[in-house]
Amino acid sequence: MAKAPPSISLLLLLSTAVFLTIPAAISAIGVNYGTLGNLPPPTQVANFLKTQTSIDSVKIFNVDPNILRAFAGTGISVVVTVPNGDIPALANGMEARRWVSANILPFHPQTKIKYISVGNEILLTGDSNMISKLLPAMRSLNSALFRAGIRDIKVTTAHSLNIIAYDLHGAPSRGRFRPGWDKGILAPILAYHRQTKSPFMVNPYPYFGFDPKNVNFAIFRSPYKAVRDPFTRKIYTNMYDALMDSTYSAMKALGYGDVNIVIGETGWPSACDAPWCSPANAAWFNLNVIKRAQGQGTPLMPKRRFETYIFGLFNEEGKPGPTAERNWGLFRADFSPVYDVGLLRNGGGKRPAPALPAPSTAAGGKWCVAKSGATNAQLQGNIDW
C-alpha cells in the first residue's frame, strides 16, 4: 500500500485549498453539455460559460440549432454529435452533403464548430449495420465539409474503452484492441485519423469497472494499491493513467501511436448509491484529470497534453437510471457549483460554492484540513514551509 507521510498529505490538501481559490491557475477545459432536465436555456448557458468560467469548449450530443445559435460569437468551440441512428444513411455522399448543409452551414463560422463526432460509442452498441457504416459515414462527412469549403472542422467518433481486450488493471503496455475490431475496424479508423489529422476520441471512465477495495486508485488519492507494469517497470498510481496508456499501447501495436488522442468524456459522480461518490471525490478526480489536460501526461506519454471534455456541465435530473446518472455535473441548474475545481472566474456563479466535505477515507488513512478562518497567505506560508 502506497501511503503519503502526514506532511505530504497536509501539503496536498493545503495546495488544493489554495488551488480552489485561484481560478486563474486553471487553464481552459471542455465540458459535455447534456440537456436532460429542467435546465436553463442555451442562451443563458452560453453567457454563463463565457462570462463566469474559463471553460472554452463544449461537447453536445446532437446538433440542436438552439444551442448552436446560442454559442455564436462567444469564442467557445462546440463539438456536435451525429445521432447514432443517422449513421447508415450518412455513408452515402449525397446524404452527407445534405446533412452538412442542414446542420453545419447555417451556423459556421459564427459558431466555432471544432469536431463532428459521428455517433457515440458505436462499437458498444453491437449493431453490425451501424458499425460497418461508421467509417464510410466519417469519410463522407469529411468530404462533404471539403466540398462546402470548410477546412477547420474535423470528423471523428467517440469510443468506449470496451474496445480494449484485456484486464486494464494488469499491464498497460500490453493493452490491445479486441480481436475482430483491431485490424478490421479500428486500424482503418486510425488510418483515417492520421490521413485527416483528426483525433482519436476515447471515453476513459475509471468509475465503471474499478475495484471497490481500491477506490483511491480510481480517484487519484492516497493511500492506494499501486499497479506495476512488469514489462516496462512503470508504476501506476491511478487507474486513469492505466486506461490511457492501455489505449496508447493498443494504438501503437497497430502502428498508430502518433495519432492524437482526445478525451471525449470522463468524470466522477458527486452522488450515487455507494459511499465512494461525494463532491470531494468528484472534485479530486476532476482536478487530477485537469492536470493531465495541462500537460502532466502519463507514464508512457509523459509530455502529451490531452484535450479533455469533463462529464458533465450540469446535474441532469431528467436522466433515468441509478442515482449516479443524475449527479455527474459540475453545476446545478441555477449555475451554482456542485463543487469547485477552479473553473469559475473570480468566484462567479449565483451563490458561493459549498465547502468541500472532508475527503473520503473509505480505504483508510487520515487527513488534515485547514482551519475555516485561515487566510490564503497563511495557507501559502504552510505550503512554503
Side-chain angles (χ1 to χ4, degrees), residues 316-332:
E316 297 177 73
E317 63 182 20
K319 293 186 75 172
T323 302
E325 288 300 309
R326 293 174 289 283
N327 289 281
W328 288 87
L330 297 171
F331 298 96
R332 304 178 184 89

Side-chain angles (χ1 to χ4, degrees), residues 53-379:
T53 79
S54 60
I55 293 167
D56 75 338
S57 50
V58 297
K59 178 169 163 280
I60 62 176
F61 296 93
N62 49 35
V63 282
D64 187 330
N66 294 319
I67 294 178
L68 293 178
R69 278 191 290 268
F71 280 91
T74 62
I76 297 172
S77 65
V78 181
V79 180
V80 300
T81 303
V82 175
N84 289 1
D86 292 354
I87 290 174
L90 293 177
N92 178 279
M94 183 174 293
E95 289 299 321
R97 291 192 292 275
R98 288 174 179 164
W99 192 93
V100 167
S101 294
N103 296 290
I104 302 298
L105 293 183
F107 311 103
H108 179 274
Q110 293 84 2
T111 300
K112 191 178 175 184
I113 300 172
K114 188 171 188 179
Y115 304 128
I116 298 172
S117 176
V118 182
N120 189 53
E121 301 185 342
I122 297 303
L123 273 64
L124 184 63
T125 69
D127 187 307
S128 58
N129 186 39
M130 279 198 295
I131 292 171
S132 66
K133 296 297 175 59
L134 176 59
L135 181 54
M138 293 167 67
R139 287 175 172 154
S140 292
L141 284 170
N142 189 65
S143 296
L145 290 171
F146 268 71
R147 285 174 66 102
I150 297 174
R151 302 290 187 270
D152 58 347
I153 299 177
K154 301 295 184 181
V155 178
T156 183
T157 185
H159 300 279
S160 161
L161 285 196
N162 78 319
I163 58 177
I164 303 294
Y166 88 119
D167 180 3
L168 296 175
H169 302 286
S173 66
R174 291 300 185 266
R176 298 295 183 268
F177 294 124
R178 289 179 181 271
W181 288 357
D182 51 0
K183 296 179 181 179
I185 299 172
L186 291 165
I189 287 176
L190 286 164
Y192 160 84
H193 287 311
R194 176 185 284 167
Q195 178 187 5
T196 61
K197 295 181 172 57
S198 55
F200 187 64
M201 186 177 285
V202 294
N203 298 341
Y205 276 107
Y207 178 76
F208 297 109
F210 70 92
D211 180 358
K213 296 179 180 179
N214 198 13
V215 176
N216 284 354
F217 183 70
I219 59 173
F220 301 92
R221 176 169 287 138
S222 264
Y224 51 80
K225 183 178 180 182
V227 169
R228 181 180 182 181
D229 188 317
F231 302 98
T232 64
R233 320 291 276 185
K234 302 286 187 183
I235 303 295
Y236 286 83
T237 61
N238 64 84
M239 188 175 174
Y240 184 86
D241 285 354
L243 290 170
M244 292 302 299
D245 279 355
S246 295
T247 302
Y248 168 72
S249 296
M251 295 167 65
K252 187 177 179 182
L254 292 179
Y256 296 99
D258 59 306
V259 172
N260 187 35
I261 301 172
V262 164
I263 311 303
E265 297 177 33
T266 192
W268 194 270
S270 60
C272 68
D273 300 316
W276 43 74
C277 296
S278 68
N281 286 355
W284 193 253
F285 178 87
N286 283 327
L287 280 168
N288 281 277
V289 167
I290 289 170
K291 287 182 183 179
R292 279 143 184 80
Q294 292 176 313
Q296 179 171 320
T298 68
L300 294 183
M301 298 179 285
K303 296 182 180 180
R304 282 213 189 183
R305 297 172 65 96
F306 303 113
E307 182 181 349
T308 301
Y309 294 81
I310 300 292
F311 192 91
L313 179 55
F314 291 114
N315 280 343
E316 297 177 73
E317 63 182 20
K319 293 186 75 172
T323 302
E325 288 300 309
R326 293 174 289 283
N327 289 281
W328 288 87
L330 297 171
F331 298 96
R332 304 178 184 89
D334 65 354
F335 297 113
S336 63
V338 178
Y339 50 86
D340 185 1
V341 288
L343 297 176
L344 284 168
R345 295 178 179 173
N346 303 316
K350 288 194 173 181
R351 58 189 175 91
L356 284 177
S360 170
T361 56
K366 295 182 179 180
W367 290 83
C368 300
V369 296
K371 292 181 179 179
S372 59
T375 66
N376 287 349
Q378 289 171 325
L379 294 175

